[in-house]
């Protein structure tokens, strides 16, 4: 018997999020269905982050127990990729300590959010980015992003039904211009509340389009009320990029 | 009354090709359905190239007649984009001469073909590129590409049911390394036979993987038999990039 962790990539477009749900197609259900076929028994799995409907992953981490000692990490990877649907792919399988739970063990999570800035949409990116047909002031967005860094009460930036401790630490928020028409917002933190990254991105875009001044971010954080913050950025621009342990 | 030409982008994944067909979803049918809604009458349209199932376009050109003189080019573009499904988008509408037929008038057509070279697939590119998990020798491919340039009998590089004149002129074939794991094959010609670009790409990959020597291309061209050429490259890597008039 051994425990392994898989590094998993998925296209969130056709999933009702990561977490198992009756009657809806979810990543966890597809993953555990494949584990059951390979190991011929129910095999519970433990993920690092529960992404929402439409949110993607390039580096989700999922652990599970393997009874069969003869299966190598490469065997497990190949078996999973042979069975998983075309919108999930296992990039790597690695042995981990017994009972390893990525959610509890992660020291850092990195999310990537892509914004496509153009008067016309690009249909090839329609489920991959947030299309914003406006000019964004990246310098102002970078100043605003500084307010999120450090330890804060993120009550204003979570979704109502997340009742966990709202105090979270963000290590860094970077805004990177990849091309003239494509920007990446990279958010690094220990852990995040529900919709927190999308709510942060929604606020940054309000600043970038000059609807808000930079200081408004501080005001909203201090208000500690969800209603004071703007609408979430849409899910299709968000990627669970990686986790560090 | 005036004639206009639209520059059209589409994601070919969920279409049975460009050309109208009963009982299948095609780009032409969706486009003409939208024209009928806007102009309240059947409006025939004329496209530059009939792309196959799964093939994309970033610059297809489609012309049609507009009875209503009051509609500007911008009005027509906006009306079409409001009605067209999410996998078709009109980038531009421009007035053209009466009866303009893009197919007959095109002096040059440019196709782009993308190959993703990596041991692992990238699920976000699954309907956008040809995934080749092998090393490609681009220098050899560039030498092989030279044989296609100029006027040739392309019988070996067409699909059996295309009975048109097999003599075609290719102006240029370029092989461009965009990233370590992504290459673009750009093919410019006056006009192409059915599947011709995909058959050329299939042959170039045979050379790139060292299955064939460079000179084999000349041999196949001279054979003038489809059976002597390799299988077509898959449709999802191909884009009708643009046409010049």
């Amino acid at each position: 018997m051994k425990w392994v962790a898989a590094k998993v990539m998925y296209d969130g477009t056709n999933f009702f999020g990561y977490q198992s749900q009756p009657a809806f197609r979810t990543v966890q259900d597809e993953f555990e269905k494949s584990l059951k076929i390979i190991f011929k028994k129910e095999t519970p799995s433990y993920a690092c982050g529960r992404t929402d409907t439409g949110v993607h992953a390039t580096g989700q981490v999922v652990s599970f127990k393997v009874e069969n000692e003869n299966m190598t990490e490469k065997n497990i990877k190949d078996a999973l990729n042979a069975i998983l649907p075309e919108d999930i792919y296992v990039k790597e399988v690695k042995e981990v300590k017994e009972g390893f739970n990525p959610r509890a063990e992660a020291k850092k999570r990195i999310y990537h959010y892509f914004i496509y800035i153009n008067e016309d949409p690009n249909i090839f990116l329609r489920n991959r980015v947030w299309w914003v047909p406006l000019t964004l002031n990246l310098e102002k967005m970078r100043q605003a992003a500084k307010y999120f860094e450090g330890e804060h009460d993120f009550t204003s930036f979570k979704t109502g039904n997340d009742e966990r401790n709202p105090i979270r630490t963000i290590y860094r928020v970077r805004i990177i211009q990849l091309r003239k028409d494509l920007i990446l917002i990279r958010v690094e933190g220990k852990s995040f509340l529900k919709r927190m990254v999308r709510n942060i991105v929604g606020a940054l875009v309000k600043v970038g389009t000059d609807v808000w001044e930079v200081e408004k971010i501080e005001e909203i954080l201090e208000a500690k009320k969800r209603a004071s913050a703007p609408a979430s950025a849409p899910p299709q621009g968000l990627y669970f990029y990686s986790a560090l342990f």
Side-chain angles (χ1 to χ4, degrees), chain A:
Chain A
M1 189 269 287
K2 64 183 167 197
W3 279 71
V4 297
K7 194 170 166 184
V8 185
M9 185 178 206
Y10 50 82
D11 173 352
T13 310
N14 298 318
F15 289 108
F16 283 84
Y18 184 83
Q19 201 179 3
S20 181
Q21 282 188 60
F24 289 104
R25 182 172 187 260
T26 70
V27 180
Q28 186 181 353
D29 287 329
E30 290 289 348
F31 196 82
E32 293 186 356
K33 221 192 283 176
S34 299
L35 291 177
K36 193 178 172 182
I37 293 170
I38 296 168
F39 301 124
K40 298 176 184 66
K41 58 178 281 195
E42 297 287 345
T43 303
S45 67
Y46 307 91
C48 190
R50 296 177 187 169
T51 54
D52 287 331
T53 298
V55 174
H56 315 291
T58 54
Q60 171 72 281
V61 178
V62 184
S63 70
F64 51 91
K65 190 164 72 176
V66 177
E67 305 280 357
N68 181 347
E69 286 281 1
N70 294 328
M71 275 189 97
T72 65
E73 296 162 357
K74 178 82 166 69
N75 293 154
I76 299 166
K77 175 187 167 179
D78 292 346
L80 278 165
N81 286 328
I83 295 170
L84 284 166
E86 61 166 16
D87 45 3
I88 308 181
Y89 187 79
V90 172
K91 294 162 86 170
E92 199 182 0
V93 171
K94 260 189 175 170
E95 189 163 350
V96 289
K97 67 176 182 189
E98 190 177 334
F100 179 78
N101 184 338
R103 191 162 184 194
E105 307 264 357
K107 296 206 167 28
K108 191 198 257 194
R109 287 171 173 84
I110 304 173
Y111 279 92
H112 280 181
Y113 196 99
F114 292 91
I115 301 179
Y116 180 69
I117 306 168
N118 200 308
E119 200 183 319
D120 289 304
N122 179 332
I123 54 164
F124 296 104
L125 300 177
R126 69 190 184 284
N127 298 314
R128 306 273 179 264
V129 299
W130 181 14
W131 169 45
V132 175
L134 300 164
T135 306
L136 293 182
N137 183 332
L138 300 191
E139 226 15 82
K140 271 186 73 179
M141 288 170 73
R142 286 187 183 113
Q143 289 166 29
K146 289 281 165 220
Y147 287 107
F148 292 113
E149 294 180 352
E151 188 182 273
H152 299 282
D153 181 325
F154 281 96
T155 299
S156 299
F157 291 91
K158 65 170 187 157
T159 287
N161 66 359
D162 189 338
E163 295 299 337
R164 292 173 293 167
N165 182 352
I167 312 283
R168 301 284 149 158
T169 301
I170 287 186
Y171 303 130
R172 202 172 181 198
V173 181
R174 285 180 70 196
I175 295 165
I176 302 155
Q177 182 139 25
L178 297 175
R179 296 194 320 217
K180 193 172 172 294
D181 56 4
L182 192 65
I183 74 160
L184 161 62
I185 301 178
R186 180 182 163 108
V187 184
E188 303 177 23
K190 186 170 184 332
S191 64
F192 294 88
L193 299 162
K194 201 164 158 61
R195 291 242 184 128
M196 187 167 142
V197 178
R198 287 164 57 193
N199 290 336
I200 287 172
V201 170
L204 290 175
V205 166
K206 284 275 189 197
V207 172
T209 52
D210 285 329
V211 176
W212 285 353
E213 284 315 304
V214 170
E215 298 72 27
K216 177 86 176 175
I217 301 296
E218 191 172 23
E219 215 176 279
I220 299 173
L221 275 166
E222 281 170 7
K224 296 183 186 111
K225 279 196 307 213
R226 175 67 191 112
S228 58
S232 307
Q236 75 272 11
L238 185 61
Y239 296 72
F240 186 126
Y241 178 72
S242 71
L244 278 78
F245 299 94

